[in-house]
Amino acid sequence: MTFSIIVVCLNAGEKLRVTIESILNQTERDYEIIIKDGGSADEVTQTYLSKYRQDNLVDSGQDEAFAQRVRVYTGKDTGIYDAMNQAIQYVRGDYVFFLNCGDRFYNNEVLMQVKEQILRAEEQDNEDAHRQAELRSPKYIFYGNVYELKTSALVQSNPTIDDFACYRNLPCHQACFYDATLLREKSFDISYAVRADYEHFLWCYYMACAVTVYMPITVSFYEGGGFSETKENERKSRQEHREIVSKYMPPDKVRRYRRIMLLTLAPVRTWIARNPVTAGIYQQIKRKLYKRE
């Protein structure tokens, strides 16, 4: 199986339906859905969780093989990252994708397009192995772009991941397909309330030597305005960012990048990128700078 798609929820209501239906509508069927519920109490969420349980899928006319690919697990967790860690235990696929409730795939062809990218990379790996037998198969992170619903803007990911990109501009979590072994080797560090996914990406890049592959694909509609973007968590986010980069980058490099961010008016650019009036223009400029148009 190629894809394991993890959806964590807690009293998500209609957002759960929107997200799950966007997966079920994919033309590529080589996937499983793992729904990790934190103990939802509202009636709407309970109704949908019941609908997506295996026995009910079979009763509604779905074949048993399909029903086995949609699994619901309910249990207490301490937050979104703990829920994601719990869900990873049930993964059967080669690549893991996290789709939050309220987010959805950009179109029905996304998984098919991503699988084509994966098969192309695997074909190249096989050719390299024939030339050099001692080469190890790399662990990949495939990533694309997202469309942010909050700002109505297509957010362009950096097509090249390097040190500076790791410091300032990693791809959105809802754009990344992770080799499952990367998540089995290291779970999300739940001591980070806001940036555990950022810390994990840096671990993948610096410690696990993951190969990052940009895909010219818009992967998902990203709702935006989530937990990490609330005003009360912005200060916490900055604090965690400083702590995390110090784990993976030498102090002189961190200081240099911090100066660059100040000189290039990073706070102003962040405000422009988050403002619905200016976000679209800002992202167009980014795409031109990245030479993607």
Side-chain angles (χ1 to χ4, degrees):
M1 181 178 295
T2 301
F3 301 108
S4 292
I5 303 169
I6 292 175
V7 179
V8 300
C9 75
L10 180 64
N11 299 322
E14 284 293 326
K15 290 183 178 182
L16 176 62
R17 177 190 62 80
V18 168
T19 299
I20 298 300
E21 286 189 0
S22 82
I23 305 171
L24 297 177
N25 289 335
Q26 290 292 298
T27 56
E28 173 60 57
R29 311 304 286 174
D30 187 15
Y31 66 81
E32 65 175 357
I33 303 172
I34 299 170
I35 303 173
K36 169 59 182 69
D37 172 56
S40 296
D42 74 284
E43 186 176 346
V44 175
T45 305
Q46 286 286 353
T47 298
Y48 286 122
L49 290 172
S50 177
K51 174 183 177 182
Y52 298 133
R53 293 186 191 278
Q54 293 174 13
D55 292 343
N56 289 337
L57 282 171
V58 173
D59 292 342
S60 65
Q62 297 285 355
D63 63 85
E64 187 171 351
F66 176 78
Q68 289 293 324
R69 291 192 291 133
V70 184
R71 288 171 286 140
V72 178
Y73 299 94
T74 298
K76 292 183 179 180
D77 54 65
T78 60
I80 186 169
Y81 294 119
D82 185 32
M84 290 158 68
N85 284 341
Q86 291 183 32
I88 290 165
Q89 302 175 46
Y90 305 108
V91 161
R92 299 170 180 168
D94 299 318
Y95 286 87
V96 179
F97 182 72
F98 298 95
L99 199 60
N100 292 347
C101 286
D103 302 331
R104 62 187 191 274
F105 281 119
Y106 188 70
N107 59 45
N108 294 343
E109 311 296 324
V110 169
L111 288 183
M112 180 187 71
Q113 294 172 329
V114 175
K115 189 173 183 179
E116 289 173 354
Q117 298 277 335
I118 292 172
L119 292 175
R120 192 174 301 132
E122 289 178 348
E123 183 178 349
Q124 184 61 49
D125 289 345
N126 291 334
E127 292 178 4
D128 291 342
H130 286 305
R131 290 194 299 268
Q132 191 174 343
E134 66 270 18
L135 280 177
R136 291 184 178 182
S137 179
K139 301 168 187 174
Y140 285 105
I141 300 174
F142 292 89
Y143 69 98
N145 309 315
V146 298
Y147 187 94
E148 189 177 64
L149 295 172
K150 183 181 178 182
T151 59
S152 300
L154 177 62
V155 179
Q156 169 70 50
S157 293
N158 194 329
T160 303
I161 302 297
D162 54 18
D163 285 347
F164 191 38
C166 284
Y167 182 87
R168 66 155 188 168
N169 191 27
L170 287 179
C172 176
H173 199 53
Q174 286 82 352
C176 298
F177 292 79
Y178 294 86
D179 186 315
T181 58
L182 293 170
L183 293 158
R184 294 192 184 100
E185 289 177 15
K186 183 185 185 301
S187 58
F188 294 101
D189 186 343
I190 61 175
S191 68
Y192 296 109
V194 180
R195 284 185 171 264
D197 52 341
Y198 175 70
E199 190 276 336
H200 190 272
F201 195 108
L202 263 59
W203 177 86
C204 291
Y205 184 79
Y206 287 108
M207 306 305 293
C209 300
V211 177
T212 56
V213 179
Y214 171 74
M215 306 177 293
I217 298 168
T218 303
V219 174
S220 65
F221 285 104
Y222 166 55
E223 191 174 37
F227 176 77
S228 63
E229 296 178 19
T230 58
K231 287 185 178 180
E232 57 267 28
N233 283 310
E234 287 183 353
R235 182 176 178 180
K236 183 69 173 176
S237 177
R238 290 192 294 270
Q239 176 187 334
E240 290 184 359
H241 181 272
R242 288 193 295 269
E243 182 178 334
I244 291 165
V245 296
S246 68
K247 289 174 58 176
Y248 296 102
M249 298 181 187
D252 58 334
K253 186 171 290 186
V254 172
R255 287 192 294 268
R256 176 156 56 92
Y257 290 159
R258 191 172 296 150
R259 287 195 298 270
I260 292 173
M261 297 295 282
L262 289 172
L263 291 171
T264 56
L265 303 176
V268 176
R269 289 187 287 108
T270 298
W271 181 88
I272 293 171
R274 291 182 178 179
N275 189 313
V277 177
T278 56
I281 297 172
Y282 178 79
Q283 294 298 334
Q284 287 179 16
I285 294 171
K286 273 180 63 178
R287 288 195 291 276
K288 290 183 182 299
L289 290 174
Y290 290 148
K291 298 180 180 179
R292 292 295 165 182
E293 283 190 346

